[in-house]
Amino acid sequence: MSERSFIVSIAVGVPGVGKSTVLSITKKLLQEKSLYAEVVNYGDFIFEELKDSGLISSRDDLRRLPLKIQFKHQSNAAKRIIDYATEVFEEKKQGVLFIDTHLWIKTRSGLWPGLPLHVVQILRPDLLILIEADPMDIINRIRRDQSRYREDYADPRFIEELQEMNRREALVIATLSGAAIKIVLNKEGRAEDAARDIVDAVIALIR
Ligand code: ATP
Ligand code: MG
């Protein structure tokens, strides 16, 4: 574990699996236990850098940008996330930073890693939370959630393959960084159960 005053947990899973939903419940549950948690969305930090460029108009446009543009902003965003968390946790003795992101991004040039080595070296995660769900549940969540565009992922065979690739990539990242891997199942209608599993894993890491 690192010398930072906060634990770095990276939560990953395919688009629509429920990462943001589960993490917001996790934050609330941890706060009830007097443990401060901050949740940041990696894509929001990249979007923040690019929103005035005129290249994109929404978060879901990011993955349609040429890879060389995405690449440049990937490590900048990682540094800004750690700087932001260092500031947020400065006053606190202990805390948990959750970074909400993806292990594989579907781009026009093929699948692209969300956590390549240069990013892992900046983030230095303590815990990797792999959020999974039944592919058909994910498809239904994508269809129901009209606030986002995720149709490019909405194929059950592709989701299954991607979840398998995520497990393999999680092994690579854990080996490179020394982070533990926690696999969490986000069952339909049971996001709070998934959040409780994360709370247990985080508390076991701290105490
Ligand atoms: P993205 O990576 O694209 O940001 P995400 O993994 O953060 O996706 P969410 O936005 O949290 O996914 O969830 C997608 C949709 O699924 C939302 O409408 C959310 O309310 C719903 N959802 C999340 N978890 C569950 C669950 N356990 N049961 C039913 N619906 C869920
Ligand atoms: Mg999300």
Side-chain angles (χ1 to χ4, degrees):
M1 288 200 10
S2 69
E3 69 288 354
R4 293 189 284 226
S5 65
F6 50 96
I7 295 274
V8 176
S9 299
I10 309 184
V12 292
V14 303
V17 72
K19 297 177 295 297
S20 304
T21 306
V22 170
L23 290 178
S24 91
I25 303 169
T26 306
K27 175 176 170 139
K28 200 183 80 208
L29 294 177
L30 283 170
Q31 267 161 356
E32 284 169 15
K33 292 180 184 291
S34 306
L35 198 57
Y36 184 75
E38 182 73 21
V39 181
V40 299
N41 189 298
Y42 203 118
D44 286 349
F45 274 71
I46 298 183
F47 182 61
E48 193 60 34
E49 297 201 0
L50 281 161
K51 71 176 187 326
D52 298 327
S53 68
L55 292 168
I56 47 170
S57 54
S58 85
R59 275 284 324 277
D60 295 309
D61 284 343
L62 273 177
R63 55 185 179 269
R64 282 188 275 273
L65 285 172
L67 262 190
K68 63 176 181 228
I69 298 179
Q70 297 195 45
F71 192 87
K72 183 173 139 222
H73 293 281
Q74 197 182 27
S75 45
N76 285 354
K79 285 184 199 127
R80 283 177 43 242
I81 287 171
I82 294 301
D83 288 349
Y84 170 77
T86 305
E87 213 169 289
V88 165
F89 289 104
E90 201 177 9
E91 305 286 292
K92 307 194 168 28
K93 277 216 293 285
Q94 220 174 28
V96 189
L97 171 70
F98 289 102
I99 304 171
D100 179 343
T101 191
H102 303 101
L103 284 182
W104 294 108
I105 297 128
K106 191 178 178 187
T107 74
R108 288 183 304 180
S109 310
L111 291 170
W112 184 59
L115 296 174
L117 182 58
H118 67 101
V119 171
V120 174
Q121 283 169 333
I122 297 167
L123 299 178
R124 293 189 285 126
D126 301 292
L127 182 65
L128 195 60
I129 301 159
L130 196 50
I131 303 183
E132 298 182 343
D134 181 286
M136 282 319 295
D137 288 343
I138 298 172
I139 299 280
N140 291 330
R141 289 171 198 171
I142 288 175
R143 297 269 145 82
R144 280 198 307 265
D145 185 2
Q146 296 291 319
S147 70
R148 296 280 307 275
Y149 176 83
R150 302 182 181 102
E151 283 303 318
D152 48 345
Y153 284 86
D155 169 53
R157 289 244 307 273
F158 179 54
I159 290 176
E160 202 174 328
E161 263 173 42
L162 213 50
Q163 292 202 118
E164 185 54 42
M165 282 180 65
N166 280 351
R167 282 200 177 199
R168 291 165 190 230
E169 180 71 346
L171 297 180
V172 174
I173 293 165
T175 305
L176 289 173
S177 64
I181 301 173
K182 175 75 184 174
I183 299 177
V184 172
L185 185 62
N186 182 22
K187 287 191 193 156
E188 194 57 21
R190 308 295 289 268
E192 187 154 337
D193 290 351
R196 284 188 199 288
D197 285 348
I198 297 175
V199 167
D200 290 347
V202 164
I203 287 180
L205 204 59
I206 291 176
R207 298 199 171 139

